[in-house]
Amino acid sequence: MTGTTREPTIAPQQVPLPARLILAGPDTGLRRTDGAWWPRSHDLAGELPALLMALNARWGRITRITVDSGMWPVGPRRMTVAGRVVHLSRCGTAAGRHMICLLSYGVGRCDLLVVPPESPSDEARHLMDEARDLPSSPELLR
């Protein structure tokens, strides 16, 4: 008997809340980050659909995502969101602990600061504003 591995399928109607996301303007020049994302939990499969839908208009079809294995230790290697397969990879570098990298074929790369879900709202909003406003964001989280 052989087993099959199926990736999670997330339908748009299963996403209860919009992504908490702030993006820099499209004409702000070269940047280390394109904005910030404040997920509600450490459940990557549950959080990504809202983020991908929010980024769709600007970055189009995101096909690959890299996250930090310390912040997101478990989750699928790929998933289907709104009928599209997205491949996920994890790395364990200290520099990327609070970053997520999203790649869109033909459009480019989107790097977002990830504000930890458990952050108090005033601190999270401050970090998100900093990530959006600085042309070359320093490491805002240590």
Side-chain angles (χ1 to χ4, degrees):
M1 177 186 263
T2 61
T4 59
T5 304
R6 297 183 58 187
E7 68 260 12
T9 300
I10 310 296
Q13 65 271 18
Q14 291 175 306
V15 181
L17 299 170
R20 296 185 292 189
L21 176 69
I22 193 164
L23 296 172
D27 299 324
T28 56
L30 294 175
R31 305 175 50 83
R32 285 188 191 158
T33 62
D34 297 296
W37 174 47
W38 184 23
R40 290 176 174 82
S41 73
H42 286 281
D43 174 16
L44 189 59
E47 294 290 339
L48 280 178
L51 177 63
L52 295 178
M53 285 188 274
L55 292 173
N56 192 49
R58 187 157 166 189
W59 268 278
R61 184 176 181 219
I62 293 170
T63 58
R64 296 199 172 272
I65 299 173
T66 301
V67 297
D68 179 74
S69 57
M71 182 172 273
W72 310 97
V74 296
R77 291 188 180 191
R78 66 182 181 179
M79 58 190 285
T80 302
V81 179
R84 299 182 304 196
V85 175
V86 178
H87 297 271
L88 304 165
S89 61
R90 289 170 179 72
C91 63
T93 63
R97 174 128 174 94
H98 294 284
M99 296 299 293
I100 184 170
C101 174
L102 304 106
L103 300 174
S104 176
Y105 180 75
V107 178
R109 174 178 172 158
C110 174
D111 291 302
L112 298 174
L113 173 77
V114 178
V115 177
E118 62 277 2
S119 298
S121 56
D122 58 336
E123 181 181 323
R125 291 188 201 310
H126 173 74
L127 289 168
M128 292 176 78
D129 287 340
E130 289 287 320
R132 177 197 60 206
D133 295 338
L134 295 175
S136 181
S137 297
E139 186 161 339
L140 298 172
L141 296 169
R142 298 196 194 290

